[in-house]
Amino acid sequence: MAADDKIIISGEAVIHPDDLEENFIRSSGPGGQNVNKVATAVQLRFNAAGAEGLSERVRERVLNFAGQRATKDGVIVIEAGRFRTQDQNRADARARLTELVAKAAEPPPKPRRKTKPTKGSIERRLKEKFGRSTVKKMRGRVDND
């Protein structure tokens, strides 16, 4: 990745390459004898707390969405070891990070507007309640007059 290869997600979310750190570790997945010799899995660390390209709202949300993957220092750790090659695992880790930040950068949902029940629905509900009440009253003891 070149020095100017920023990952632009939205106006308030840009991932700078300086905020990323990659370490290659041994993978536990498929690979035969190769799995014991070559470090193909990627451990991608993204410093979300110190990232300049994230707005304050996105920073809080991305750390919240990261859950267990976020450290106390605000670093998000993503491990990718699904594939047999470093390049595929690197692309997978970056795609997962981009997806996480994109989810955090989404605008908040519109506030819910309260609505009143219609007159007809209120009348139907009360009529049904009265009917159930009558049925239950009929289940009582019978008086011998």
Side-chain angles (χ1 to χ4, degrees):
M1 179 176 226
D4 59 338
D5 285 345
K6 299 176 193 171
I7 302 173
I8 300 171
I9 296 164
S10 72
E12 50 182 349
V14 177
I15 299 174
H16 294 281
D18 302 338
D19 298 329
L20 297 176
E21 179 186 329
E22 291 176 340
N23 295 321
F24 293 99
I25 55 177
R26 288 196 178 148
S27 179
S28 62
Q33 293 175 344
N34 200 35
V35 77
N36 298 325
K37 298 176 183 175
V38 181
T40 55
V42 177
Q43 186 180 57
L44 181 69
R45 296 173 152 275
F46 174 60
N47 185 5
E52 296 174 14
L54 300 181
S55 69
E56 199 58 41
R57 181 185 74 85
V58 174
R59 180 176 291 119
E60 288 174 14
R61 286 178 51 118
V62 79
L63 288 172
N64 190 22
F65 287 149
Q68 290 284 323
R69 294 175 288 188
T71 65
K72 292 178 185 176
D73 301 330
V75 177
I76 298 172
V77 180
I78 295 177
E79 291 188 11
R82 281 195 286 183
F83 303 103
R84 290 187 181 200
T85 63
Q86 284 183 351
D87 290 338
Q88 286 178 314
N89 285 329
R90 176 188 282 146
D92 182 39
R94 287 176 188 243
R96 285 168 38 195
L97 176 66
T98 304
E99 184 180 317
L100 181 71
V101 175
K103 185 179 173 188
E106 289 176 353
K110 293 181 181 177
R112 183 183 173 276
R113 284 180 43 208
K114 293 180 182 176
T115 57
K116 269 188 178 174
T118 61
K119 250 184 192 174
S121 67
I122 292 172
E123 289 173 8
R124 284 190 300 271
R125 182 181 67 84
L126 292 176
K127 185 178 175 186
E128 187 180 334
K129 277 182 75 156
F130 180 74
R132 293 296 301 159
S133 172
T134 307
V135 167
K136 290 187 176 191
K137 282 178 188 169
M138 297 299 287
R139 292 179 188 162
R141 289 182 183 259
V142 179
D143 290 336
N144 293 336
D145 292 344

